[in-house]
Amino acid sequence: MRTQVAIIGAGPAGMLLSHLLAAEGIDTVIVEARSEEYVLGRIRAGILEHGSVELLRAAGLGSRLDAEGLPHRGIHLQFPRERHHLDFIDLIGRGVWVYGQTEVQKDLVAARSAAGQSIYYEARDLEISDVETDRPSLTFVGSDGRRQTVVADAVVGCDGSFGPSRAVIPDSAKQTWHRTYPFSWLGVLADVAPSTDELIYAWHPDGFAMHSMRSPSVSRLYLQVDNGTDIDDWSHQRIWDALAARLGDGQDGWTLTPGPITEASVLPMRSYVQTPMRHGRLFLAGDSAHIVPPTGAKGLNLAIADVALLAPALVSLVRDDDSRSADTYSDDALRRVWRCTHFSWWMTSMLHTSGDPFDDQLQLSQLRWVCSSEAGATGLAENYAGLPIPSGSTRF
């Protein structure tokens, strides 16, 4: 097969990139190791930044988001006997939306299916070749057992942290930074209406807790737990009891409403950044180049921002043989990546307990400052609601 851009990974980053390129008349082929059902069913992020929403709308992907998404003005920050609302609209003029990654994926699949996009699911034995030439290629075994080769003008790795793309860049040409946190999140989905109007981020001596949501009838909640925690050690009653204690059930008349838990898992907390995000005609976007802890709600939004920068660069590269924006893609993207990595680290460090009483007091001091200082609250709001996606990074 011959195409202009070969994309590895059919998650939101890969599918959105294909959608943006198609609007510019650029042909793509997508190769995905997992099944379509698996990709659609993954439980991931739930918060969209203001800029992400604007991009999806402009790209013709906003109708269901506008109908079913939940616009939020801000978040609640909580520590013992205090809960404070930070109103992002008042502080910086823009808020966020609750709209799950699974819903974004559904919208992208529907759009690409309607356009007749070539997607090869359940591909195995993927090999990436010739990325240092102007004709890189992918070779893989499809679900029908046939080996196929795709030759392209550029290859984009949107295949996550465990995919093959990032490993293609030789060690001599890359640097990688890692951070593994000494705790994990126990996350649950519950078929119960949220007990809060907007997200609650709670510092508690027993550990961090968060009350999020996916819809008016589905709640998403998290607990800080030790690394290596076995989900089987946590009964549903134990989970609800811990959530009620850490989220302040009964304080000031507020009550956490429990309900049937439909999904529960333990998520290790880690961060990494790999640079550069380009090697020859291979480009990385999303989790293949960077991972952040979910405390700052940045993972999906960083992937969208990467793609917004990369799409016009690829259009110029494959249509006009103009490599200038492709040459600056990695540096341009990494400026945002490191800013969001720092914000995610800051939120994580401020809200998760370590067992050290000295650290506890520093965290409480930081929380009190953020909640009482307009400057502190504005800094959090600006980063949480998202830095603007640079104008001109996409035509939409």
Side-chain angles (χ1 to χ4, degrees):
M1 285 178 285
R2 181 74 174 87
T3 192
Q4 289 172 295
V5 178
I7 299 171
I8 307 169
M15 295 290 270
L16 180 58
L17 178 60
S18 172
H19 183 81
L20 296 179
L21 290 175
E24 296 289 345
I26 302 299
D27 183 61
T28 62
V29 170
I30 302 174
V31 180
E32 167 61 52
R34 303 283 193 168
S35 68
E36 182 176 5
E37 294 73 22
Y38 178 90
V39 176
L40 275 169
R42 287 184 293 199
I43 304 299
R44 292 291 189 270
I47 300 295
L48 290 178
E49 297 174 358
H50 176 84
S52 296
V53 171
E54 291 299 300
L55 176 66
L56 293 172
R57 285 172 173 159
L61 298 165
S63 58
R64 202 163 67 89
L65 188 161
D66 286 329
E68 301 178 19
L70 304 175
H72 281 196
R73 294 183 64 94
I75 62 171
H76 299 280
L77 278 182
Q78 178 177 304
F79 41 96
R81 296 175 297 282
E82 295 189 41
R83 181 180 294 173
H84 299 266
H85 183 249
L86 303 187
D87 192 308
F88 299 166
I89 303 294
D90 286 347
L91 290 164
I92 60 168
R94 61 185 189 274
V96 296
W97 284 68
V98 173
Y99 193 66
Q101 180 172 316
T102 52
E103 304 309 313
V104 175
Q105 183 72 17
K106 289 175 187 176
D107 296 339
L108 286 164
V109 168
R112 300 316 302 137
S113 296
Q117 174 66 45
S118 296
I119 306 177
Y120 293 85
Y121 287 101
E122 299 182 76
R124 65 182 192 277
D125 300 333
L126 176 69
E127 297 179 4
I128 307 168
S129 304
D130 302 323
V131 298
E132 295 179 357
T133 75
D134 60 1
R135 289 293 181 271
S137 65
L138 305 179
T139 303
F140 62 94
V141 177
S143 59
D144 59 0
R146 291 169 37 195
R147 179 167 290 279
Q148 306 199 52
T149 298
V150 181
V151 179
D153 297 307
V155 172
V156 182
C158 300
D159 48 340
S161 60
F162 299 109
S165 297
R166 58 194 294 258
V168 171
I169 301 177
D171 291 342
S172 60
K174 68 186 176 187
Q175 286 185 284
T176 306
W177 289 265
H178 295 271
R179 168 63 56 87
T180 300
Y181 290 87
F183 42 74
S184 300
W185 275 12
L186 190 160
V188 301
L189 273 178
D191 282 342
V192 60
S195 302
T196 179
D197 58 339
E198 295 183 337
L199 275 67
I200 303 172
Y201 285 78
W203 184 98
H204 189 274
D206 293 341
F208 168 77
M210 180 198 285
H211 191 327
S212 184
M213 61 206 68
R214 287 295 180 268
S215 75
S217 60
V218 177
S219 295
R220 182 72 161 149
L221 305 108
Y222 300 96
L223 289 165
Q224 176 186 343
V225 294
D226 293 336
N227 286 342
T229 291
D230 187 341
I231 192 65
D232 292 335
D233 293 336
W234 284 75
S235 68
H236 290 187
Q237 187 60 54
R238 183 185 178 189
I239 291 170
W240 284 116
D241 287 346
L243 285 166
R246 298 187 197 184
L247 291 169
D249 189 49
Q251 292 184 22
D252 299 324
W254 182 83
T255 300
L256 176 67
T257 302
I261 292 176
T262 59
E263 193 271 345
S265 60
V266 175
L267 171 69
M269 301 283 279
R270 65 191 181 100
S271 186
Y272 79 76
V273 179
Q274 177 172 307
T275 66
M277 293 172 61
R278 178 200 179 178
H279 181 70
R281 289 291 182 103
L282 170 67
F283 299 81
L284 303 180
D287 288 359
S288 62
H290 43 74
I291 288 281
V292 292
T295 326
K298 290 288 155 258
L300 174 58
N301 293 291
L302 266 178
I304 291 173
D306 286 350
V307 167
L309 284 170
L310 183 56
L314 290 172
V315 171
S316 296
L317 181 66
V318 306
R319 176 180 290 162
D320 305 321
D321 199 28
D322 182 349
S323 67
R324 287 173 294 179
S325 53
D327 290 342
T328 63
Y329 162 69
S330 180
D331 288 342
D332 292 343
L334 283 166
R335 279 192 288 273
R336 189 188 194 97
V337 167
W338 279 114
R339 171 87 298 275
C340 292
T341 298
H342 179 270
F343 177 67
S344 299
W345 165 83
W346 179 75
M347 287 281 286
T348 302
S349 301
M350 180 172 64
L351 288 160
H352 292 75
T353 57
S354 66
D356 184 325
F358 189 82
D359 287 347
D360 290 350
Q361 295 307 311
L362 292 177
Q363 291 171 320
L364 291 169
S365 176
Q366 181 86 328
L367 284 162
R368 293 188 186 102
W369 172 72
V370 169
C371 294
S372 62
S373 163
E374 183 174 348
T378 299
L380 188 153
E382 182 179 60
N383 284 275
Y384 195 101
L387 306 174
I389 294 175
S391 59
S393 61
T394 168
R395 282 180 48 191
F396 299 101

